[in-house]
Amino acid sequence: MGFLDDAKKKLGEAVENVKEFAEDAAENVKEFAEDATENVKEFAADASENVKEFAADAQEKIGEKVEEFKGGNKPNGQA
């Protein structure tokens, strides 16, 4: 095999290696994006649940304060 044939073969192998690398990289990026999307969805769901719980707690405390001011419950055990 001559020098040019050897160089052509090695260049072909290098091109194949680059193609495989690019395919693997594309697949890795796709998987990363899917995982990131799922993580964001889970984070958003958790945050939404936390906000709902906070709002419910706040509403309950506001209701308690309203009752205190109406005279329903005296603070500090007052009659």
Side-chain angles (χ1 to χ4, degrees), residues 55-69:
D57 289 346
Q59 188 175 9
E60 183 179 339
K61 288 181 179 172
I62 289 169
E64 290 171 1
K65 288 295 179 186
V66 167
E67 287 301 314
E68 282 180 22
F69 286 119

Side-chain angles (χ1 to χ4, degrees), residues 3-65:
F3 172 76
L4 289 177
D5 289 335
D6 190 38
K8 187 191 278 189
K9 180 181 175 188
K10 288 186 180 189
L11 179 59
E13 290 171 357
V15 167
E16 281 303 311
N17 287 339
V18 169
K19 285 181 183 178
E20 289 176 15
F21 175 79
E23 289 170 0
D24 289 346
E27 185 63 29
N28 288 340
V29 167
K30 182 180 175 185
E31 290 175 10
F32 175 81
E34 289 170 353
D35 289 346
T37 299
E38 187 61 32
N39 288 341
V40 168
K41 287 179 182 178
E42 289 175 11
F43 174 80
D46 289 347
S48 178
E49 189 61 33
N50 288 341
V51 168
K52 287 178 186 177
E53 290 175 9
F54 176 80
D57 289 346
Q59 188 175 9
E60 183 179 339
K61 288 181 179 172
I62 289 169
E64 290 171 1
K65 288 295 179 186

Side-chain angles (χ1 to χ4, degrees), residues 68 71-79:
E68 282 180 22
N73 295 323
K74 299 288 184 184
N76 300 324
Q78 296 175 349

